Amino acid sequence: MTLIQMQPRSADANPGHRTAVEVMDAGGPQVCDDMSVEVALAVMAAARTSRLVVCDQDDQRIGLVTRTDLTAVRDSGAHTDRVRLRDILGGTDRQPHP
């Protein structure tokens, strides 16, 4: 089972003008990197957000995925139900984008 960690947003949060570091430091839905693309999209829909912070098994933040990222992967011809968020991030070396 994949755990989801929710954190409340601050009242002054303005996601329109944030750097990648600010996004990674911000509260919001955090999910484990072993979550599938389909489940991540469902979490986004339920949380009413367009991005998820991805954490590894040590609960370290390793990246950020957006609805656009996940939709592109889901709609690609190479997609299977075995694709995990870690596969999209390409390992822990990937830098998150805003």
Coordinates of all heavy atoms in Angstrom, one line a residue:
M1 N 0.8 -1.2 0.0 CA 0.0 0.0 0.0 C 0.9 1.2 0.0 O 1.9 1.3 0.7 CB -0.9 0.0 1.2 CG -1.7 1.2 1.4 SD -2.8 1.0 2.8 CE -4.1 2.0 2.3
T2 N 0.6 2.2 -0.8 CA 1.3 3.4 -0.9 C 0.7 4.5 0.0 O -0.5 4.7 0.0 CB 1.3 4.0 -2.3 OG1 1.9 3.0 -3.2 CG2 2.1 5.3 -2.4
L3 N 1.5 5.1 0.9 CA 1.0 6.1 1.8 C 1.0 7.5 1.2 O 1.9 7.8 0.4 CB 1.9 6.1 3.1 CG 1.9 4.8 3.9 CD1 2.8 4.9 5.0 CD2 0.5 4.5 4.3
I4 N 0.1 8.3 1.5 CA 0.0 9.7 1.1 C 0.0 10.5 2.3 O -0.7 10.3 3.3 CB -1.3 9.9 0.3 CG1 -1.4 9.0 -0.8 CG2 -1.5 11.4 -0.1 CD1 -2.8 9.0 -1.5
Q5 N 0.9 11.5 2.3 CA 1.0 12.4 3.4 C 0.5 13.8 3.0 O 1.0 14.4 2.1 CB 2.5 12.5 3.8 CG 2.8 13.4 5.0 CD 4.3 13.3 5.3 OE1 5.1 12.9 4.6 NE2 4.6 13.8 6.5
M6 N -0.5 14.3 3.7 CA -1.1 15.6 3.4 C -0.6 16.6 4.4 O -0.5 16.3 5.6 CB -2.6 15.5 3.4 CG -3.2 14.5 2.4 SD -3.0 15.0 0.7 CE -4.2 16.3 0.6
Q7 N -0.3 17.8 3.9 CA 0.0 18.9 4.8 C -0.8 20.1 4.4 O -1.0 20.4 3.3 CB 1.5 19.2 4.7 CG 2.4 18.1 5.1 CD 3.9 18.4 4.9 OE1 4.2 19.4 4.3 NE2 4.7 17.6 5.4
P8 N -1.3 20.9 5.4 CA -2.1 22.0 5.1 C -1.3 23.1 4.4 O -0.1 23.3 4.7 CB -2.6 22.5 6.5 CG -1.6 21.9 7.5 CD -1.1 20.7 6.9
R9 N -1.9 23.9 3.6 CA -1.2 25.0 2.9 C -1.4 26.2 3.7 O -2.4 26.4 4.4 CB -1.9 25.3 1.5 CG -1.7 24.2 0.5 CD -2.3 24.6 -0.7 NE -2.1 23.6 -1.7 CZ -2.2 23.8 -3.0 NH1 -2.5 25.0 -3.5 NH2 -2.1 22.8 -3.8
S10 N -0.4 27.1 3.6 CA -0.5 28.4 4.3 C -1.5 29.3 3.6 O -1.7 29.2 2.4 CB 0.9 29.1 4.4 OG 1.3 29.4 3.2
A11 N -2.1 30.2 4.3 CA -3.1 31.1 3.8 C -2.5 32.0 2.7 O -3.2 32.5 1.8 CB -3.8 31.9 4.9
D12 N -1.2 32.3 2.8 CA -0.6 33.3 1.9 C 0.1 32.6 0.7 O 0.9 33.2 0.0 CB 0.4 34.2 2.6 CG 1.5 33.5 3.3 OD1 1.4 32.2 3.4 OD2 2.5 34.1 3.7
A13 N -0.2 31.3 0.6 CA 0.5 30.6 -0.5 C 0.0 31.1 -1.9 O -1.2 31.2 -2.1 CB 0.2 29.1 -0.4
N14 N 1.0 31.4 -2.8 CA 0.7 31.8 -4.1 C 1.5 31.0 -5.1 O 2.6 31.3 -5.4 CB 1.0 33.3 -4.3 CG 0.7 33.8 -5.7 OD1 0.2 33.1 -6.5 ND2 1.1 35.1 -5.9
P15 N 0.9 29.9 -5.6 CA 1.6 29.0 -6.4 C 2.0 29.5 -7.8 O 2.8 28.9 -8.5 CB 0.7 27.8 -6.6 CG -0.7 28.4 -6.4 CD -0.5 29.5 -5.4
G16 N 1.5 30.7 -8.2 CA 1.8 31.2 -9.5 C 3.2 31.7 -9.7 O 3.7 31.7 -10.8
H17 N 3.9 32.2 -8.7 CA 5.2 32.8 -8.8 C 6.2 32.1 -7.8 O 6.8 32.8 -7.0 CB 5.1 34.3 -8.6 CG 4.2 34.9 -9.5 ND1 4.5 35.1 -10.9 CD2 3.0 35.5 -9.3 CE1 3.5 35.7 -11.5 NE2 2.6 36.0 -10.6
R18 N 6.4 30.8 -7.9 CA 7.3 30.1 -7.0 C 8.4 29.5 -7.7 O 8.2 29.0 -8.9 CB 6.5 29.1 -6.2 CG 5.4 29.8 -5.4 CD 4.5 28.7 -4.8 NE 4.8 28.6 -3.4 CZ 4.1 27.8 -2.6 NH1 3.2 27.0 -3.1 NH2 4.4 27.7 -1.4
T19 N 9.5 29.4 -7.1 CA 10.7 28.6 -7.7 C 10.5 27.2 -7.3 O 9.7 26.8 -6.5 CB 12.0 29.1 -7.1 OG1 12.0 28.8 -5.7 CG2 12.2 30.6 -7.3
A20 N 11.3 26.3 -8.0 CA 11.2 24.9 -7.7 C 11.5 24.6 -6.3 O 10.9 23.7 -5.6 CB 12.2 24.1 -8.6
V21 N 12.5 25.3 -5.7 CA 12.9 25.1 -4.3 C 11.7 25.4 -3.4 O 11.4 24.7 -2.4 CB 14.1 25.9 -3.9 CG1 14.4 25.8 -2.4 CG2 15.3 25.4 -4.7
E22 N 11.0 26.5 -3.7 CA 9.8 26.9 -2.9 C 8.7 25.9 -3.0 O 8.1 25.6 -2.0 CB 9.3 28.3 -3.3 CG 10.2 29.4 -3.0 CD 9.8 30.7 -3.6 OE1 9.3 30.7 -4.7 OE2 10.0 31.8 -3.0
V23 N 8.5 25.4 -4.2 CA 7.5 24.3 -4.3 C 7.9 23.1 -3.5 O 7.0 22.5 -2.9 CB 7.3 24.0 -5.8 CG1 6.4 22.8 -6.0 CG2 6.7 25.2 -6.6
M24 N 9.1 22.7 -3.6 CA 9.5 21.5 -2.9 C 9.4 21.7 -1.4 O 9.2 20.8 -0.6 CB 11.0 21.1 -3.3 CG 11.1 20.6 -4.7 SD 10.3 19.1 -5.0 CE 11.4 18.0 -4.1
D25 N 9.6 22.9 -0.9 CA 9.6 23.2 0.5 C 8.1 23.5 1.0 O 7.8 23.4 2.2 CB 10.4 24.4 0.9 CG 11.9 24.2 0.8 OD1 12.3 23.0 0.8 OD2 12.7 25.1 0.7
A26 N 7.2 23.7 0.1 CA 5.8 24.0 0.4 C 5.1 22.8 0.9 O 5.4 21.7 0.5 CB 5.1 24.6 -0.8
G27 N 4.1 23.0 1.7 CA 3.2 21.9 2.1 C 2.4 21.5 0.9 O 2.2 22.2 -0.1
G28 N 1.8 20.3 1.0 CA 1.0 19.8 0.0 C 1.1 18.3 -0.1 O 1.8 17.7 0.7
P29 N 0.4 17.7 -1.0 CA 0.4 16.2 -1.1 C 1.8 15.7 -1.4 O 2.4 16.1 -2.3 CB -0.6 15.9 -2.2 CG -1.4 17.2 -2.4 CD -0.5 18.3 -2.0
Q30 N 2.2 14.8 -0.5 CA 3.5 14.1 -0.7 C 3.2 12.6 -0.9 O 2.4 12.0 -0.2 CB 4.4 14.2 0.5 CG 4.8 15.7 0.7 CD 5.7 15.8 1.9 OE1 6.1 14.8 2.5 NE2 6.1 17.0 2.3
V31 N 3.8 12.1 -2.0 CA 3.5 10.7 -2.3 C 4.8 9.9 -2.4 O 5.9 10.5 -2.7 CB 2.7 10.5 -3.6 CG1 1.3 11.1 -3.4 CG2 3.3 11.1 -4.8
C32 N 4.8 8.6 -2.3 CA 6.0 7.8 -2.4 C 6.3 7.5 -3.9 O 5.4 7.5 -4.7 CB 5.8 6.5 -1.7 SG 7.3 5.5 -1.5
D33 N 7.6 7.4 -4.2 CA 8.0 7.2 -5.6 C 7.5 5.9 -6.2 O 7.6 5.7 -7.4 CB 9.5 7.4 -5.8 CG 10.3 6.3 -5.1 OD1 9.8 5.6 -4.2 OD2 11.5 6.3 -5.3
D34 N 7.0 5.0 -5.4 CA 6.5 3.7 -6.0 C 5.1 3.7 -6.4 O 4.5 2.8 -6.9 CB 6.8 2.5 -5.0 CG 5.9 2.6 -3.8 OD1 5.3 3.6 -3.5 OD2 5.9 1.6 -3.1
M35 N 4.4 4.9 -6.3 CA 3.0 5.1 -6.7 C 2.9 5.0 -8.3 O 3.8 5.5 -9.0 CB 2.5 6.4 -6.2 CG 1.1 6.7 -6.6 SD 0.5 8.2 -5.9 CE 0.2 7.7 -4.2
S36 N 1.9 4.4 -8.8 CA 1.6 4.3 -10.2 C 1.1 5.7 -10.7 O 0.6 6.5 -10.0 CB 0.7 3.2 -10.6 OG -0.6 3.6 -10.1
V37 N 1.2 5.9 -12.0 CA 0.7 7.1 -12.7 C -0.8 7.2 -12.4 O -1.2 8.3 -12.1 CB 1.1 7.1 -14.2 CG1 0.4 8.2 -14.9 CG2 2.6 7.1 -14.4
E38 N -1.5 6.2 -12.6 CA -3.0 6.2 -12.5 C -3.4 6.6 -11.1 O -4.3 7.5 -10.9 CB -3.6 4.9 -12.8 CG -3.5 4.5 -14.3 CD -2.2 3.8 -14.6 OE1 -1.4 3.6 -13.7 OE2 -2.0 3.5 -15.8
V39 N -2.7 6.1 -10.1 CA -3.0 6.4 -8.7 C -2.7 7.8 -8.4 O -3.4 8.6 -7.7 CB -2.4 5.4 -7.7 CG1 -2.5 5.8 -6.3 CG2 -2.9 4.0 -7.9
A40 N -1.5 8.3 -8.9 CA -1.1 9.7 -8.7 C -2.1 10.6 -9.3 O -2.4 11.7 -8.7 CB 0.3 9.9 -9.3
L41 N -2.6 10.3 -10.5 CA -3.6 11.2 -11.1 C -4.9 11.2 -10.2 O -5.5 12.3 -10.0 CB -3.9 10.7 -12.5 CG -2.9 11.1 -13.5 CD1 -3.1 10.3 -14.8 CD2 -2.9 12.6 -13.8
A42 N -5.3 10.1 -9.6 CA -6.4 10.0 -8.8 C -6.2 10.8 -7.5 O -7.1 11.5 -7.0 CB -6.8 8.6 -8.4
V43 N -5.0 10.8 -6.9 CA -4.7 11.6 -5.7 C -4.7 13.0 -6.1 O -5.3 13.8 -5.3 CB -3.2 11.2 -5.2 CG1 -2.8 12.2 -4.2 CG2 -3.2 9.8 -4.7
M44 N -4.2 13.4 -7.2 CA -4.3 14.9 -7.6 C -5.8 15.3 -7.7 O -6.1 16.4 -7.2 CB -3.6 15.1 -9.0 CG -2.2 15.2 -8.9 SD -1.5 15.5 -10.6 CE 0.2 15.5 -10.2
A45 N -6.6 14.5 -8.3 CA -8.0 14.9 -8.5 C -8.7 15.0 -7.1 O -9.4 15.9 -6.8 CB -8.7 13.8 -9.3
A46 N -8.4 14.0 -6.2 CA -9.0 14.1 -4.9 C -8.5 15.2 -4.0 O -9.3 15.8 -3.3 CB -8.7 12.8 -4.1
A47 N -7.2 15.6 -4.2 CA -6.6 16.7 -3.4 C -6.9 18.0 -4.1 O -6.5 19.1 -3.5 CB -5.1 16.4 -3.3
R48 N -7.4 18.0 -5.3 CA -7.7 19.2 -6.1 C -6.4 20.1 -6.2 O -6.3 21.2 -5.9 CB -8.8 20.1 -5.4 CG -10.1 19.4 -5.5 CD -11.2 20.3 -5.0 NE -12.5 19.6 -5.2 CZ -13.4 19.5 -4.2 NH1 -13.2 20.2 -3.1 NH2 -14.5 18.9 -4.4
T49 N -5.4 19.4 -6.7 CA -4.1 20.0 -6.9 C -3.6 19.6 -8.3 O -4.1 18.6 -8.9 CB -3.0 19.6 -5.8 OG1 -1.8 20.4 -6.0 CG2 -2.7 18.1 -5.9
S50 N -2.6 20.3 -8.8 CA -2.0 20.0 -10.1 C -0.6 19.5 -10.0 O 0.1 19.3 -11.0 CB -2.1 21.2 -11.0 OG -1.3 22.3 -10.5
R51 N -0.1 19.3 -8.8 CA 1.3 18.8 -8.6 C 1.4 18.0 -7.3 O 0.6 18.2 -6.4 CB 2.3 19.9 -8.6 CG 2.1 20.8 -7.4 CD 3.0 22.0 -7.5 NE 2.3 23.1 -8.2 CZ 2.8 24.1 -8.7 NH1 4.1 24.3 -8.8 NH2 2.1 25.1 -9.3
L52 N 2.3 17.1 -7.3 CA 2.6 16.2 -6.2 C 4.1 16.3 -5.9 O 4.9 16.2 -6.8 CB 2.2 14.8 -6.4 CG 0.7 14.5 -6.7 CD1 0.5 13.0 -7.1 CD2 -0.1 14.8 -5.4
V53 N 4.5 16.3 -4.6 CA 5.8 16.2 -4.2 C 6.1 14.7 -4.0 O 5.3 14.0 -3.4 CB 6.1 16.9 -2.9 CG1 7.5 16.7 -2.4 CG2 5.8 18.4 -3.0
V54 N 7.2 14.2 -4.7 CA 7.5 12.8 -4.7 C 8.6 12.5 -3.7 O 9.7 13.3 -3.7 CB 7.9 12.3 -6.1 CG1 8.2 10.8 -6.0 CG2 6.8 12.6 -7.1
C55 N 8.4 11.6 -2.8 CA 9.4 11.2 -1.8 C 9.9 9.8 -2.0 O 9.2 8.9 -2.5 CB 8.8 11.3 -0.4 SG 8.3 13.0 0.0
D56 N 11.1 9.5 -1.6 CA 11.7 8.2 -1.6 C 11.3 7.4 -0.4 O 10.5 7.9 0.5 CB 13.2 8.2 -1.9 CG 14.0 8.8 -0.8 OD1 13.4 9.0 0.3 OD2 15.2 9.0 -1.0
Q57 N 11.8 6.2 -0.3 CA 11.4 5.3 0.9 C 12.0 5.8 2.2 O 11.5 5.5 3.3 CB 12.0 3.9 0.7 CG 11.1 3.1 -0.3 CD 11.3 3.5 -1.8 OE1 12.3 4.1 -2.1 NE2 10.3 3.3 -2.6
D58 N 12.9 6.8 2.1 CA 13.5 7.4 3.4 C 12.8 8.7 3.7 O 13.2 9.5 4.5 CB 15.0 7.7 3.2 CG 15.8 6.4 3.1 OD1 15.4 5.4 3.7 OD2 16.7 6.4 2.3
D59 N 11.7 9.0 3.0 CA 10.8 10.2 3.1 C 11.6 11.4 2.8 O 11.3 12.5 3.3 CB 10.3 10.3 4.6 CG 9.0 11.0 4.6 OD1 8.3 11.1 3.6 OD2 8.7 11.6 5.7
Q60 N 12.6 11.3 1.9 CA 13.3 12.5 1.3 C 12.6 12.9 0.1 O 12.3 12.1 -0.8 CB 14.7 12.1 1.1 CG 15.5 11.7 2.3 CD 15.6 12.8 3.3 OE1 16.0 13.9 3.0 NE2 15.3 12.5 4.5
R61 N 12.4 14.2 -0.1 CA 11.8 14.7 -1.3 C 12.8 14.6 -2.4 O 13.9 15.1 -2.4 CB 11.4 16.2 -1.1 CG 10.3 16.3 0.0 CD 10.0 17.8 0.2 NE 9.0 17.8 1.3 CZ 8.4 18.9 1.6 NH1 8.7 20.1 1.1 NH2 7.5 18.9 2.6
I62 N 12.3 14.0 -3.5 CA 13.2 13.7 -4.6 C 12.7 14.4 -5.9 O 13.4 14.3 -6.9 CB 13.4 12.2 -4.9 CG1 12.1 11.5 -5.2 CG2 14.2 11.6 -3.7 CD1 12.3 10.1 -5.7
G63 N 11.5 14.9 -6.0 CA 11.1 15.5 -7.2 C 9.6 16.0 -7.1 O 9.0 15.9 -6.0
L64 N 9.2 16.5 -8.2 CA 7.9 17.0 -8.3 C 7.3 16.6 -9.6 O 8.0 16.6 -10.7 CB 8.0 18.6 -8.3 CG 6.7 19.4 -8.4 CD1 5.9 19.3 -7.1 CD2 7.1 20.8 -8.7
V65 N 6.0 16.1 -9.6 CA 5.3 15.8 -10.8 C 4.1 16.6 -11.0 O 3.4 16.9 -9.9 CB 5.0 14.3 -10.9 CG1 6.3 13.4 -11.1 CG2 4.2 13.8 -9.8
T66 N 3.8 17.0 -12.2 CA 2.6 17.8 -12.4 C 1.5 16.9 -13.2 O 1.8 15.9 -13.7 CB 2.9 19.0 -13.3 OG1 3.3 18.5 -14.6 CG2 4.0 19.9 -12.6
R67 N 0.3 17.4 -13.2 CA -0.7 16.7 -13.9 C -0.4 16.6 -15.4 O -0.6 15.6 -16.0 CB -2.1 17.5 -13.8 CG -3.2 16.8 -14.5 CD -4.6 17.5 -14.3 NE -5.0 17.2 -12.9 CZ -5.3 18.1 -12.0 NH1 -5.2 19.4 -12.3 NH2 -5.7 17.8 -10.8
T68 N 0.3 17.6 -15.9 CA 0.7 17.6 -17.3 C 1.7 16.5 -17.6 O 1.6 15.8 -18.6 CB 1.3 19.0 -17.7 OG1 0.4 20.0 -17.5 CG2 1.8 19.0 -19.2
D69 N 2.7 16.3 -16.6 CA 3.7 15.3 -16.7 C 3.0 13.9 -16.8 O 3.3 13.1 -17.6 CB 4.6 15.2 -15.5 CG 5.5 16.5 -15.4 OD1 5.8 17.1 -16.4 OD2 5.9 16.8 -14.3
L70 N 2.1 13.7 -15.8 CA 1.5 12.4 -15.7 C 0.5 12.1 -16.9 O 0.4 11.0 -17.3 CB 0.7 12.3 -14.4 CG 1.6 12.4 -13.1 CD1 0.7 12.3 -11.9 CD2 2.7 11.4 -13.1
T71 N -0.2 13.1 -17.3 CA -1.1 12.9 -18.4 C -0.3 12.5 -19.7 O -0.7 11.7 -20.5 CB -1.9 14.2 -18.7 OG1 -2.7 14.5 -17.5 CG2 -2.9 14.0 -19.8
A72 N 0.8 13.2 -19.9 CA 1.7 12.9 -21.1 C 2.1 11.4 -21.0 O 2.1 10.7 -22.0 CB 2.8 13.8 -21.2
V73 N 2.6 11.0 -19.9 CA 3.0 9.6 -19.7 C 1.9 8.6 -19.9 O 2.0 7.6 -20.7 CB 3.7 9.4 -18.3 CG1 3.9 7.9 -18.1 CG2 4.9 10.2 -18.2
R74 N 0.7 8.9 -19.3 CA -0.4 8.0 -19.4 C -0.9 7.9 -20.9 O -1.3 6.8 -21.4 CB -1.6 8.5 -18.6 CG -2.8 7.6 -18.6 CD -4.0 8.3 -18.1 NE -4.3 9.4 -18.9 CZ -5.1 10.4 -18.5 NH1 -5.6 10.4 -17.3 NH2 -5.3 11.5 -19.3
D75 N -0.8 9.0 -21.6 CA -1.3 9.0 -23.0 C -0.3 8.5 -24.0 O -0.6 8.4 -25.2 CB -1.8 10.4 -23.4 CG -3.0 10.8 -22.6 OD1 -3.7 10.0 -22.0 OD2 -3.3 12.1 -22.5
S76 N 0.9 8.3 -23.6 CA 2.0 7.8 -24.5 C 1.7 6.3 -24.8 O 1.1 5.6 -24.1 CB 3.4 8.0 -23.9 OG 3.6 7.0 -22.9
G77 N 2.2 5.9 -26.0 CA 2.1 4.5 -26.4 C 2.9 3.6 -25.6 O 2.5 2.4 -25.6
A78 N 3.9 4.0 -24.9 CA 4.7 3.1 -24.1 C 4.2 2.9 -22.7 O 4.8 2.2 -21.9 CB 6.1 3.7 -24.0
H79 N 3.1 3.6 -22.3 CA 2.6 3.5 -20.9 C 2.0 2.1 -20.6 O 1.3 1.5 -21.4 CB 1.5 4.6 -20.7 CG 0.9 4.5 -19.3 ND1 -0.3 4.0 -19.1 CD2 1.4 4.8 -18.1 CE1 -0.6 4.0 -17.8 NE2 0.5 4.5 -17.2
T80 N 2.3 1.6 -19.4 CA 1.7 0.4 -18.9 C 1.3 0.7 -17.4 O 1.7 1.8 -16.9 CB 2.6 -0.8 -18.9 OG1 3.7 -0.6 -17.9 CG2 3.3 -1.0 -20.2
D81 N 0.6 -0.2 -16.8 CA 0.2 0.1 -15.4 C 1.3 -0.2 -14.4 O 1.2 0.0 -13.2 CB -1.0 -0.8 -15.0 CG -0.8 -2.3 -15.1 OD1 0.3 -2.7 -15.7 OD2 -1.6 -3.0 -14.7
R82 N 2.5 -0.5 -15.0 CA 3.7 -0.8 -14.1 C 4.5 0.5 -14.0 O 5.5 0.5 -13.3 CB 4.5 -1.9 -14.6 CG 3.7 -3.2 -14.5 CD 4.6 -4.4 -15.0 NE 3.8 -5.6 -14.9 CZ 4.3 -6.7 -14.6 NH1 5.6 -6.8 -14.3 NH2 3.5 -7.8 -14.5
V83 N 4.2 1.5 -14.7 CA 5.0 2.8 -14.7 C 4.8 3.4 -13.3 O 3.7 3.7 -12.9 CB 4.7 3.7 -15.8 CG1 5.4 5.0 -15.7 CG2 5.0 3.1 -17.2
R84 N 5.9 3.7 -12.6 CA 5.9 4.3 -11.3 C 6.4 5.7 -11.4 O 7.1 6.1 -12.4 CB 6.7 3.5 -10.3 CG 6.3 2.1 -10.2 CD 5.0 2.0 -9.4 NE 4.6 0.6 -9.4 CZ 3.3 0.2 -9.6 NH1 2.4 1.1 -10.0 NH2 3.0 -1.1 -9.5
L85 N 6.2 6.5 -10.4 CA 6.6 7.9 -10.4 C 8.2 7.9 -10.5 O 8.7 8.8 -11.1 CB 6.1 8.7 -9.2 CG 4.6 8.8 -9.1 CD1 4.2 9.6 -7.8 CD2 4.1 9.5 -10.3
R86 N 8.9 7.0 -9.8 CA 10.3 7.0 -9.9 C 10.8 6.8 -11.3 O 11.9 7.3 -11.7 CB 10.9 5.9 -9.0 CG 10.7 4.5 -9.5 CD 11.5 3.5 -8.6 NE 11.0 3.4 -7.3 CZ 10.2 2.4 -6.8 NH1 9.7 1.5 -7.7 NH2 9.8 2.4 -5.6
D87 N 10.0 6.1 -12.1 CA 10.4 5.9 -13.6 C 10.3 7.2 -14.3 O 11.1 7.5 -15.2 CB 9.5 4.9 -14.2 CG 9.5 3.5 -13.5 OD1 10.6 3.1 -13.0 OD2 8.5 2.8 -13.5
I88 N 9.3 8.0 -14.0 CA 9.2 9.3 -14.6 C 10.3 10.3 -14.2 O 10.8 11.0 -15.0 CB 7.8 9.9 -14.3 CG1 6.7 9.0 -14.8 CG2 7.6 11.3 -14.8 CD1 5.3 9.4 -14.3
L89 N 10.6 10.2 -12.9 CA 11.6 11.1 -12.4 C 13.0 10.7 -12.9 O 13.9 11.5 -13.0 CB 11.6 11.2 -10.9 CG 10.4 11.8 -10.3 CD1 10.4 11.6 -8.8 CD2 10.2 13.2 -10.6
G90 N 13.2 9.5 -13.3 CA 14.5 9.0 -13.8 C 15.6 8.9 -12.7 O 16.7 9.1 -13.0
G91 N 15.2 8.6 -11.5 CA 16.1 8.5 -10.4 C 16.1 9.8 -9.6 O 15.4 10.7 -9.8
T92 N 16.9 9.8 -8.5 CA 16.9 11.0 -7.6 C 17.8 12.1 -8.1 O 17.8 13.2 -7.5 CB 17.5 10.5 -6.2 OG1 18.8 10.0 -6.4 CG2 16.6 9.5 -5.6
D93 N 18.4 12.0 -9.3 CA 19.3 13.1 -9.8 C 18.5 14.2 -10.5 O 19.0 15.2 -10.8 CB 20.3 12.5 -10.8 CG 21.3 11.6 -10.1 OD1 21.4 11.7 -8.9 OD2 21.9 10.8 -10.8
R94 N 17.2 13.9 -10.8 CA 16.4 14.8 -11.6 C 16.1 16.0 -10.7 O 15.7 15.9 -9.6 CB 15.1 14.2 -12.1 CG 14.2 15.1 -12.8 CD 13.0 14.4 -13.4 NE 12.2 15.3 -14.2 CZ 11.1 15.8 -13.8 NH1 10.6 15.6 -12.6 NH2 10.4 16.6 -14.6
Q95 N 16.2 17.2 -11.3 CA 15.9 18.4 -10.6 C 14.4 18.7 -10.8 O 13.9 18.6 -12.0 CB 16.7 19.6 -11.1 CG 18.1 19.5 -10.8 CD 18.4 19.5 -9.3 OE1 17.8 20.4 -8.6 NE2 19.2 18.6 -8.8
P96 N 13.6 19.1 -9.8 CA 12.2 19.4 -10.0 C 12.0 20.7 -10.8 O 12.9 21.5 -10.8 CB 11.7 19.6 -8.5 CG 12.9 20.0 -7.8 CD 14.1 19.3 -8.5
H97 N 10.9 20.8 -11.4 CA 10.6 22.1 -12.1 C 9.4 22.7 -11.6 O 8.5 22.0 -11.0 CB 10.5 21.8 -13.6 CG 9.5 20.7 -14.0 ND1 8.1 21.0 -14.0 CD2 9.6 19.4 -14.2 CE1 7.5 19.9 -14.3 NE2 8.3 18.9 -14.4
P98 N 9.2 24.0 -11.7 CA 8.1 24.7 -11.1 C 6.8 24.4 -11.8 O 6.8 24.0 -12.9 CB 8.4 26.2 -11.2 CG 9.5 26.3 -12.2 CD 10.2 24.9 -12.3

